[in-house]
Each structure stands twice: as C-alpha cells, then as structure tokens.
Amino acid sequence: MGLTKQYLRYVTSAVFGVIGSQKANIAYVTLRGGERGRYVAVAACEHVFIWDVRKGEKVLILQGQKHEVTFLCPSPDGIHIAVGYEDGAVRIFSLLSGESNVSFNGHKSAVTVLHYDRLGARLVTGSKDTDVIVWDIINECGLYRLRGHKDIITQALFLKDKNLLVTSSKDSFVKWWDLDTQHCFKTMVGHRSEVWGMLLLNLETRLLTGSADSELRAWDINYVQEEKAEGEPKVKKGKTLLDEDDDEDNEEGEDESVEERILSCKKAGSILREARDRVISLTTDHSKSYLLFHLLQTNAVLLLFCVLSSVVGFLHQLVKACCVAAPCCRAQEDTVEEAAVPVVERTLKDEIIRLTNVKASAKIRWVDCLSCPGGELKVALLLQNNTIETYSLKTSDKTPTANKTARLTLGGHRTDVRTLAFSSDNLAVLSASGDTVKVWNRSTLQVIRTMACEYALCSLFVPGDRQIILGTKSGKLQIFELASGSLLETVDAHDGALWSLSLAPDQRGIVTGSADKTVKFWEFELIKDQGTGQKRLTVKHTRTLQLEEDVLCVRFSPDQRLLAVSLLDCTVKIFYTDTLKFFLSLYGHKLPVLCLDISHDSTLIATGSADRNVKIWGLDFGDCHRSMFAHDDSVMFLQFVPKTHLFFTAGKDKKIKQWDADKFELIQTLEGHHREVWCLTISPNGDHIVSSSHDKSLRLWERTREPIILEEEREMVREAEFEESMSKGDAPVVPGETQGEAAPAGKKTVETVKAAERIMEALELYKEEMRKMEEHKYACENAGKQLPPPKPNPILVAFGNVSLEVSLLVLPFPYVPELLRLFNSYIQQGLEVELVCRCLFFLLKIHFGQISSNQMLLSVIDELRTNTLSKVHEIRDVMGFNRAALQFLQREIESKEDVMFFAEATGRLEEKKKRRRKRERAVLTIA
C-alpha cells in the first residue's frame, strides 16, 4: 500500500484591522468598577471588543464562535453583557472574566434587539423572524415566545413597575403585551411606515416613536389601575414643529371610544423634522433626560435634545406666559388683584428642547450616551468608516458645545483593504486601502507604520524589506520607505488603473499591467536624492508590451522564462519574457480572468475567473488539465503555496478554499469572513495566510501540525448542511396547543435532538442497572451473605447537562412513564428538586392527555404530587431559616461594630428624588 499525500490544516489565529463592525450597536460598559464612560463595547465580526477610549487600546475580547454579532446590551448591574448573533443565538458574557456561561437559542434568524428588565432577571429579544422571546436569566431558560408582528422587530422595552412589554416593528405597528397572560392587548396603528425606533420618557408616561417619515410621534400613556394626580397640567393635543409652529393635518389615530383594560395610549403631538430621511436610531441616557437621534442621509449629524419632566416643562411654559403678561399687569397696577392668571397650554415643544448638534467626521451608524455627575453628557459614536469617536458636553451651559475627546482610527483602515503582501522574513504584513497603507507586525498584530496613499490596487515589498511599492487606481506607482514612513517618489506609470504588479524572480525589477492595455517592465535603480544628498530607490522604465485588451493580472514564471497576462477578453496570453514573443493562449473561461498564479516549478498555471470556475493548465502545451467549480461567486484572488502544488482561492462568497492542483481535489474550506473576500497573501514559508474582506477585517490563518483526512472533511460538510437544514425546519408542536400569540421559547436544533437521544439511552441504561441491582439482591438473599454491589455503568455516569424543554419535547412518549418513575425516586431522595420539578411540569403540560388517561400512571402521579409538595416546602423552610439567620447575624455585627452593611445607594437616591418632587409640587402650588 502506497503512502497517501498528507495535508495540514489551516485554522484561524486572529482577527484584526476592524475597530467596530457596522451590524451591531455600540454600548458603554464598566470594567471592574472603573471610571464610567471610559470603556465602550463594539462588535468585531463574531467577537466583541472592549476598547479603552482614553488610551485607545483593546482591553478585552469576548470570543465568538462562527456567526456575526448583531446586537449588544449591557446588564443593569454592569457585570454582564448580552450578545445577539446572526443565527439567532444569544450569549451572556461576564465582563469580569470574559467568559460566557449562559446561552439561549430560540430565533431562526438574526437578533435585532436585546433589552433587560429593571432588575436584570429577564431578557427580551427580537429578531428578523418577527418573533419576540422573553428569557429567564436566573433559571437560564426561555419563558415564552410572543407572535404577532409581521416584519423585523426594531425595539422591545420592559416597563419598570408593571409586567408589560412594548414592541415595535417594520410592519408599522407598536404592540403592547401583558406578560401575565402572554397576549397582545393593544396595537397602535398611527404610523404610515416602518417604526425604526422607540423610547419611554417621563416616568414611562410618554412614548416617543420614530419612523420613515419626517415625524417623531409622541403618545401619552395613562394607566387605568392608577388614579390620575389631581392638578396635573394638561398637555395640548396638537402637532408642533420644533423650530416653527406650522400645523399639519392630523393623522388617523386610535379610536378613543375603546375602553382599555390596562392602559390607554393617545397621541400627544409630533416633532416635525426638517429632513425627510428616516430615523436610524433613537437613544437616551439612563435618566431619560437627553434624547439623541440621527437620520439616514444626513447621518453625519447627531441631533441632541433635552427632555424636561412634566412639572419642569409646565414651569418653563408658565415663566414664558408670565413674561408675556407682565406689561399688562404693570399698566393696570390698581387692578392687579383682579387680573386673570394667564392660561397655560403646554405643548411638546416645551418638554423636548433642542440643545445642540454633534457633527461627526463621517456618517454615523450607532450612538450611545451616558450622563455623568456634574451635568456632563458623554456620547460615543460608531461611524461607518470603521472609526469610534467620543464627545463630551456640559449640559449646564447656556449653549452646550460638543468637544471631541477621543478618536480610534489606528487599528484599522477607513475603507476596504484591496491588496496585501508579506515581507520576505514572514514577520511583516502590508495592507493598503483607498486612503492609507499600513504595515503590521504579524506576531503582535500591532501597526508599525501608517502612511497616506492614493487608492491602492496592488502592492509588494521591495527585496530587502526596506521599501514598498503600490500600484494605484490612477495608474501611478508609489514608493514608500518604511524606516521613515515617507513617500519617496510617485511615478506616472500608466494612463489607466494599475491592476497588477509582479516582482521579477531575479529581484531586479517589476512588471505592471494596467487598464490602458499595456504591460510595462521596470528595473530598480538607486539615484541621488537632490534634497538630502543620499541615495534612494526608484524604478526605471525599460520595455512596454502593447496588447489589444485591458490587462487584469500579470505574473512571471519562477524561472523567469514566461510572462502570463490575463486580459478583459476572458483569455490568458503567455509571452516569452526575453523577446516578448507570443507563446500560448489559454481560453475557456466565460468571463474575465481576475487572478492567476504559476507554480514554483513553472509547470502549472491556475486561473480564477468571474465565472466562478478555476482552471488548471499545463505550461508546456497550454492544455487544460481540469476545470473546477470553485466558488458560488466571482473568484477574486488565487495564489500557490510556496514550493507545493497546493493553492488557495478567495471568492465573493465569503470563503477561502485550498486545492490540490495534482489531484484536482478540494482540501479544506476556511470560513470566517462575513462579506466578500477581496484578496489574500501567503507567507514565504507557507505557515501563515492573511486575508481581507468587505467586513473591514483582516484575518490571520496559521498552518497547524494536524493532518487533514479528506473523507472526514466531506463528512463534516454533510453534517453542517444537515444541521443548517434542521435549524431552518419547523418548530416542534406541543400536542393540544394552537399556534396563537404565545409559544415555547426554544427551537429544535441538532443539540436538542442529540440531547433527547442521550436521555433515551440513559433511560435504557437505567433499566439495565435496575435489573442488575435486582439480580444482585436476589443473589444476596440466596447466598445468605452480603455480596459487593455492582459497579455503576460509566456511560450512565457520563451523562451531563442536557437542554430541557425542546429535548423533552422531541422525546417519544413511551419513555415518559419510566422517566416519571425516575423523577419520583429523585424527589424522594431530595436530588435536584428544582430541576426535576421543572422537567416534571413540562412533561405534564405536553403529555397531559396521554398521562391522565393511563391508569398505570395514576399512582405514580399521586406519589409525585405528595412528594413534590413536601420537598418544596422543606426547601422553602430551609431557605427561610437561612435568611433569618443571616439577617440576625447582620444585626448583631452592625450593633457591635456600629457600621451599616449592604447600604443601598439606590434607596437613598430614591429618597432624594421624592424630596425633590415634593419641592417641585410646592412651587407649582404657589405658582
């Protein structure tokens, strides 16, 4: 038996070059009790980066798995952060350790919104699948799924003191949900287009919504259970312009004659914006005192408003009215006592006051704000050009101005990286984009040099790694010196875009190909700089090859005998390097060849085309060895691994693939990028790969010592396809339940199916163990002596935690009776009573009909009822006893040490707020 060819696996090593992904929001976080407003969390593809905006450093990375992050939400206590992903999963990370111990999987598509309740015990998630799910953080399970919206969920908010939820969607509806009964009791239909943002203001008595039109609508919320405070100033129901008082026609509103059982919601007015672009997001600080929003087209400007409370807004309008009435009162001093108090009609203009605008350096994608002591407001902006900016405002000033406090730009490019290159010592990586070129240290992933350049399309290190050369979109060659980071020379090389350049194998020159239908040869030359008097590098034009079509790619053969040129007419021409005579024409692609490379022994040439195919040719006769369907979109880059016949391809389908040019086989697929892959580069020793993508990220891949077995790789691909098809399948149906507004929170996945199989296998093993125990007991009775008990089955011991609801839902009913008997024995022994009760109640819910009609299970159910009640009472008594003992110890220590343990700052803050409200009411009464 002959030896098989061994392939080594490449794995992802790091993600760099991305400061913040555009798909997910930005959020202020607190690390280890640090300064508020110093750290921000942003998504970085599938990871979450925590940045120190003061130092401009990355201080923590929350490692993701595969799918892109789509939403972030810090917990109220500041210790955890919830992260939503593209596949619908939600993971909760600890900001202290950076690890994730809780994960939820209930949505079928990307998570679009996350929000905690006031205590941080529940989490609501909305998704592109139009479902809203409420999760229990403490028990790490889903409570229920709420259905009713017909489009993507854009916002979901808990009410603080009531068990209510309000959600908005692109279906133009805002829905109110009663979480006690899990049903929608009110739908607001006053919007003409998609609702993109929503906020609760003024102690949750005012709802502000932003849609695709030019209005910000305000709604008054009146809770039926609460009596209205007497003497509360009325709000004028009308539409007011923020800067002008022009009235518009009223829209269709809610039917006021409908009696609401829980609350009533009526339109209070609108803020008409000057621009007619849609609102991207509405943001407020924790105190609900400041409102920020930005628009779609003019979103380089952030609009900042101050939200006044109802009492302060009334006083504001009263002062204005008194100022207007003052001249009349002075004219009639003798009848002041008889003068009528001016009628005050408070409008939305008096409650939401425009403070200032914040002008960012580029278009704004996401916003977050934080109010700090001393009237300081901190604002963090995630821009669309891979930049984070922070601003600070003194809101107590008469005319607040935003001062830029930090700008994070060093760790990435503003535009997509279109060319990459490795240095000859494998230590430095060059990346160039539309405005800058950066040189990175491969081991530390830190930027060594950043230099301004024109739009770069191709690049390389000059032999010696002291200079680099860029080919630009304008047809110029730019030569940079790395030691000083300066531009040495700009050469007008071509009249069109310079698409490709290649280093000559003898390292004495380069060749360039351009859209001006020419291929030019250049030699390196040292000339004396007139300014410094020192010698510097330049290039000297020696020869020109004129062609009939635009040149897309050029490559020397490693023996420098041939030159391959791909043209816009879908062919590849091979020329002799010395005489420039035509040698071969490689035709067969249906679309232009975008990339090509020649193997180290100059025997094979591989071409990648926009027709999604890769063809392997022989350079001896120009015969096509094999044509392979490589990617699901255009093949953008191709390069051989040094000293092998293995090559990598990158495509617009977000994938990088490795191929064997001898056996014409796909070796492995590197998945990680979330947008089109533009280019890649392989280190001279073949151990590292760096790739760039439209998602603004650079990825480093490393070659490991792990061998690849092709049959196992194909089996893994089939399993991945099966798992993906299963996750997109229909959710399991609970017998006897109709598909209404509420449904179970979990979903069927491969993990839940495997968990159900493990439960069945464990039950079978349990039966076998019980049979062995009975045989052992019978043998002891016959022998009249004590025999050693049988050892427990190690497979049974190895069963750990499994997913509960969905796993039990797919469990066949014949296994349920045995599981109920097992639960009874567990409860009697006091083992995991809470977990067993949770599983027991769920099984009784989904199999109620079959269990109640089975006479054999009546005695089991009766025993479960008795044992469950007694054990739960015991646990409750123990917890009550322990709580009382801890309170007693606390009082004893406080009396001895004269200190106050667990003093709540929040309680003191509430007392101060109550005293301030009393003072405001007193002022209002006097007025």
Side-chain angles (χ1 to χ4, degrees):
M1 179 178 178
L3 293 175
T4 58
K5 193 170 185 178
Q6 187 182 43
Y7 307 106
L8 298 179
R9 185 181 302 278
Y10 284 83
V11 297
T12 181
S13 174
V15 178
F16 63 104
V18 56
I19 296 176
S21 296
Q22 307 302 307
K23 261 202 169 182
N25 58 313
I26 184 172
Y28 274 110
V29 295
T30 304
L31 288 185
R32 302 174 185 89
E35 178 186 350
R36 295 185 64 200
R38 180 172 179 175
Y39 304 100
V40 294
V42 292
C45 298
E46 69 271 22
H47 307 306
V48 176
F49 288 170
I50 309 296
W51 291 92
D52 185 341
V53 293
R54 178 181 296 179
K55 295 182 178 180
E57 296 177 355
K58 195 187 308 174
V59 295
L60 183 62
I61 299 177
L62 307 180
Q63 296 286 341
Q65 294 177 343
K66 179 180 178 183
H67 297 277
E68 193 172 8
V69 175
T70 56
F71 206 86
L72 304 173
C73 181
S75 62
D77 59 7
I79 299 176
H80 300 88
I81 184 170
V83 183
Y85 292 91
E86 183 76 26
D87 63 340
V90 178
R91 300 175 67 193
I92 298 177
F93 289 87
S94 170
L95 292 175
L96 301 177
S97 63
E99 297 179 354
S100 171
N101 296 323
V102 180
S103 61
F104 301 120
N105 207 336
H107 291 289
K108 293 183 179 179
S109 53
V111 176
T112 56
V113 62
L114 290 166
H115 199 270
Y116 279 94
D117 68 352
R118 181 171 60 92
L119 300 176
R122 291 180 300 174
L123 179 72
V124 61
T125 62
S127 170
K128 286 185 177 180
D129 61 7
T130 73
D131 289 346
V132 176
I133 300 179
V134 180
W135 306 92
D136 188 343
I137 303 294
I138 298 175
N139 293 322
E140 302 180 9
C141 66
L143 296 178
Y144 31 79
R145 181 190 304 266
L146 303 176
R147 294 171 174 159
H149 285 291
K150 304 299 181 185
D151 210 332
I152 297 173
I153 308 298
T154 57
Q155 185 60 283
L157 300 172
F158 283 106
L159 271 72
K160 287 185 178 179
D161 300 324
K162 299 168 183 63
N163 199 21
L164 303 178
L165 180 73
V166 56
T167 59
S168 63
S169 170
K170 285 178 64 175
D171 60 6
S172 76
F173 297 143
V174 174
K175 289 182 176 289
W176 292 83
W177 305 84
D178 186 352
L179 298 183
D180 292 327
T181 58
Q182 293 111 50
H183 82 285
C184 174
F185 64 88
K186 184 176 182 60
T187 300
M188 297 167 54
V189 295
H191 300 87
R192 297 176 178 175
S193 56
E194 302 94 337
V195 181
W196 288 98
M198 180 175 61
L199 288 174
L200 287 168
L201 303 173
N202 290 351
L203 300 177
E204 299 181 345
T205 59
R206 173 65 54 79
L207 181 68
L208 195 67
T209 58
S211 60
D213 55 18
S214 60
E215 286 189 62
L216 284 180
R217 294 171 175 82
W219 310 80
D220 275 339
I221 306 170
N222 296 315
Y223 301 99
V224 176
Q225 293 89 341
E226 298 179 354
E227 296 181 358
K228 290 186 177 180
E230 295 183 4
E232 183 177 354
K234 302 292 183 182
V235 179
K236 181 180 177 181
K237 302 296 188 295
K239 193 180 293 186
T240 61
L241 185 61
L242 191 62
D243 299 319
E244 303 175 10
D245 294 331
D246 298 333
D247 294 335
E248 296 271 313
D249 294 333
N250 291 331
E251 289 186 350
E252 296 179 19
E254 297 269 302
D255 187 359
E256 297 184 12
S257 62
V258 178
E259 292 292 329
E260 298 291 352
R261 181 177 62 87
I262 300 177
L263 58 82
S264 62
C265 194
K266 297 180 181 179
K267 191 170 182 180
S270 299
I271 300 175
L272 296 182
R273 297 180 279 105
E274 298 174 0
R276 306 190 66 87
D277 305 313
R278 77 166 178 89
V279 171
I280 290 185
S281 68
L282 288 169
T283 310
T284 184
D285 64 332
H286 292 296
S287 63
K288 312 292 183 185
S289 301
Y290 302 100
L291 168 66
L292 300 91
F293 69 88
H294 61 291
L295 311 177
L296 180 62
Q297 298 299 328
T298 59
N299 59 358
V301 177
L302 179 70
L303 308 181
L304 176 61
F305 296 84
C306 179
V307 182
L308 302 179
S309 64
S310 58
V311 176
V312 177
F314 175 71
L315 293 176
H316 182 266
Q317 182 65 15
L318 184 62
V319 170
K320 290 173 61 178
C322 291
C323 292
V324 173
C328 298
C329 295
R330 286 194 297 268
Q332 302 175 355
E333 291 181 356
D334 54 341
T335 59
V336 170
E337 294 181 357
E338 300 178 359
V341 178
V343 178
V344 177
E345 290 185 344
R346 183 164 48 91
T347 61
L348 206 62
K349 183 179 178 181
D350 302 311
E351 288 190 16
I352 302 178
I353 301 175
R354 187 166 182 171
L355 284 183
T356 184
N357 291 349
V358 179
K359 183 69 170 69
S361 60
K363 289 185 177 182
I364 302 170
R365 185 65 186 92
W366 295 99
V367 182
D368 194 23
C369 63
L370 182 67
S371 56
C372 299
E376 183 184 8
L377 181 68
K378 294 183 178 181
V379 180
L381 307 180
L382 177 61
L383 308 183
Q384 291 188 359
N385 63 351
N386 196 27
T387 303
I388 294 175
E389 290 183 351
T390 59
Y391 293 82
S392 176
L393 299 92
K394 281 290 185 180
T395 56
S396 57
D397 296 344
K398 188 174 181 180
T399 56
T401 56
N403 299 316
K404 186 184 295 184
T405 57
R407 188 167 187 259
L408 303 183
T409 58
L410 184 62
H413 290 272
R414 309 284 73 76
T415 57
D416 292 358
V417 173
R418 302 307 296 260
T419 176
L420 293 165
F422 252 109
S423 62
S424 59
D425 56 3
N426 310 287
L427 296 180
V429 180
L430 180 152
S431 63
S433 63
D435 55 354
T436 57
V437 53
K438 292 179 180 289
V439 180
W440 308 76
N441 185 321
R442 178 191 56 78
S443 58
T444 62
L445 302 180
Q446 298 297 317
V447 178
I448 302 174
R449 287 285 183 272
T450 299
M451 298 161 283
C453 67
E454 296 185 16
Y455 198 114
L457 298 176
C458 50
S459 62
L460 56 81
F461 277 91
V462 176
D465 298 334
R466 295 184 178 181
Q467 297 90 13
I468 59 174
I469 297 180
L470 300 183
T472 69
K473 194 174 183 179
S474 59
K476 298 177 181 178
L477 283 174
Q478 291 189 313
I479 305 175
F480 292 88
E481 185 179 24
L482 294 183
S484 61
S486 59
L487 175 64
L488 295 179
E489 186 180 5
T490 299
V491 180
D492 293 328
H494 292 273
D495 297 330
L498 203 159
W499 289 110
S500 179
L501 59 86
S502 178
L503 179 67
D506 60 5
Q507 300 186 349
R508 295 183 178 180
I510 59 174
V511 61
T512 59
S514 169
D516 62 0
K517 304 178 183 179
T518 60
V519 174
K520 293 186 178 180
F521 294 80
W522 308 80
E523 288 183 356
F524 295 133
E525 191 176 18
L526 290 175
I527 63 173
K528 190 174 183 179
D529 194 336
Q530 296 179 355
T532 62
Q534 298 179 353
K535 289 187 176 181
R536 64 172 178 84
L537 181 73
T538 186
V539 288
K540 178 182 178 182
H541 179 223
T542 56
R543 292 183 297 172
T544 300
L545 175 62
Q546 187 69 39
L547 298 166
E548 298 177 355
E549 296 289 341
D550 292 5
V551 178
L552 300 180
C553 188
V554 293
R555 284 292 181 274
F556 277 111
S557 62
D559 59 6
Q560 207 169 340
R561 189 174 65 93
L562 301 174
L563 177 70
V565 182
S566 69
L567 304 177
L568 197 60
D569 61 0
C570 310
T571 64
V572 177
K573 307 290 187 184
I574 311 295
F575 298 90
Y576 289 105
T577 303
D578 50 358
T579 62
L580 299 184
K581 289 185 177 180
F582 174 74
F583 175 49
L584 292 172
S585 178
L586 311 179
Y587 56 89
H589 285 288
K590 298 178 181 179
L591 291 174
V593 176
L594 303 179
C595 50
L596 60 88
D597 199 15
I598 300 175
S599 62
H600 70 286
D601 53 4
S602 303
T603 58
L604 298 176
I605 179 172
T607 58
S609 168
D611 61 7
R612 302 177 290 178
N613 291 322
V614 168
K615 294 181 183 292
I616 301 173
W617 316 76
L619 272 179
D620 294 335
F621 307 102
D623 55 324
C624 181
H625 293 179
R626 184 66 61 91
S627 178
M628 299 177 293
F629 183 78
H631 292 269
D632 295 330
D633 209 331
S634 300
V635 182
M636 299 301 298
F637 203 85
L638 185 150
Q639 185 176 352
F640 274 94
V641 179
K643 301 179 181 180
T644 67
H645 279 185
L646 309 178
F647 64 91
F648 282 89
T649 59
K652 280 188 175 181
D653 59 354
K654 315 174 190 176
K655 297 178 181 178
I656 299 172
K657 297 185 177 182
Q658 185 185 18
W659 307 83
D660 188 340
D662 293 329
K663 296 186 176 180
F664 317 116
E665 288 182 327
L666 173 64
I667 300 173
Q668 65 173 329
T669 301
L670 305 180
E671 295 183 353
H673 285 292
H674 303 283
R675 297 292 184 276
E676 300 92 335
V677 183
W678 297 128
C679 59
L680 61 85
T681 181
I682 304 176
S683 62
N685 59 9
D687 287 340
H688 299 90
I689 301 173
V690 176
S691 57
S692 71
S693 169
H694 185 47
D695 61 12
K696 299 289 194 303
S697 69
L698 301 176
R699 287 183 180 265
L700 176 65
W701 313 81
E702 287 186 355
R703 182 165 59 185
T704 64
R705 301 298 101 187
E706 178 187 356
I708 294 178
I709 301 175
L710 298 182
E711 290 77 10
E712 292 182 359
E713 287 292 308
R714 298 188 182 100
E715 183 65 26
M716 291 170 59
V717 171
R718 286 192 291 268
E719 288 180 1
E721 293 175 353
F722 173 72
E723 292 179 7
E724 186 176 358
S725 63
M726 179 173 291
S727 62
K728 292 181 180 179
D730 296 332
V733 179
V734 177
E737 286 193 3
T738 58
Q739 293 296 319
E741 290 181 338
K747 73 173 183 179
K748 182 180 178 181
T749 61
V750 176
E751 287 78 12
T752 58
V753 174
K754 291 180 179 179
E757 293 176 352
R758 292 171 67 188
I759 292 175
M760 290 187 285
E761 187 177 353
L763 287 173
E764 295 291 342
L765 292 172
Y766 172 73
K767 290 180 182 178
E768 182 66 23
E769 293 295 321
M770 293 303 295
R771 187 186 61 80
K772 291 181 179 179
M773 293 294 292
E774 290 294 334
E775 293 179 354
H776 175 262
K777 182 179 178 181
Y778 181 74
C780 289
E781 291 176 354
N782 291 340
K785 59 181 179 178
Q786 187 71 21
L787 297 179
K791 295 182 179 180
N793 194 309
I795 302 178
L796 183 61
V797 177
F799 281 96
N801 297 327
V802 295
S803 304
L804 288 178
E805 280 83 0
V806 183
S807 303
L808 294 174
L809 190 57
V810 299
L811 184 70
F813 180 75
Y815 289 91
V816 173
E818 191 65 35
L819 195 56
L820 292 178
R821 296 186 181 94
L822 186 59
F823 285 170
N824 191 18
S825 64
Y826 275 11
I827 291 177
Q828 288 177 354
Q829 300 173 26
L831 301 175
E832 299 288 348
V833 176
E834 295 181 23
L835 179 62
V836 170
C837 289
R838 181 175 157 196
C839 298
L840 173 62
F841 298 152
F842 187 77
L843 287 175
L844 292 176
K845 177 182 177 182
I846 64 176
H847 297 296
F848 177 77
Q850 292 172 292
I851 292 175
S852 60
S853 61
N854 192 334
Q855 297 293 328
M856 302 293 294
L857 292 178
L858 290 180
S859 60
V860 178
I861 297 299
D862 187 58
E863 290 182 12
L864 279 170
R865 179 182 60 84
T866 305
N867 297 332
T868 302
L869 288 175
S870 63
K871 289 296 180 181
V872 170
H873 282 304
E874 288 180 11
I875 293 176
R876 186 182 62 182
D877 293 341
V878 171
M879 290 182 64
F881 181 83
N882 291 338
R883 182 180 178 185
L886 290 174
Q887 290 176 350
F888 174 76
L889 289 175
Q890 178 183 350
R891 289 193 298 269
E892 287 289 322
I893 296 175
E894 288 176 354
S895 61
K896 290 181 180 179
E897 303 293 337
D898 195 19
V899 294
M900 182 68 69
F901 282 143
F902 313 118
E904 292 188 359
T906 56
R908 297 176 182 175
L909 183 61
E910 290 296 329
E911 291 179 0
K912 291 182 181 179
K913 288 182 179 179
K914 289 180 181 178
R915 289 196 295 268
R916 186 172 66 249
R917 291 194 199 102
K918 287 182 180 179
R919 289 196 300 269
E920 291 176 353
R921 291 195 191 100
V923 173
L924 180 61
T925 305
I926 296 173

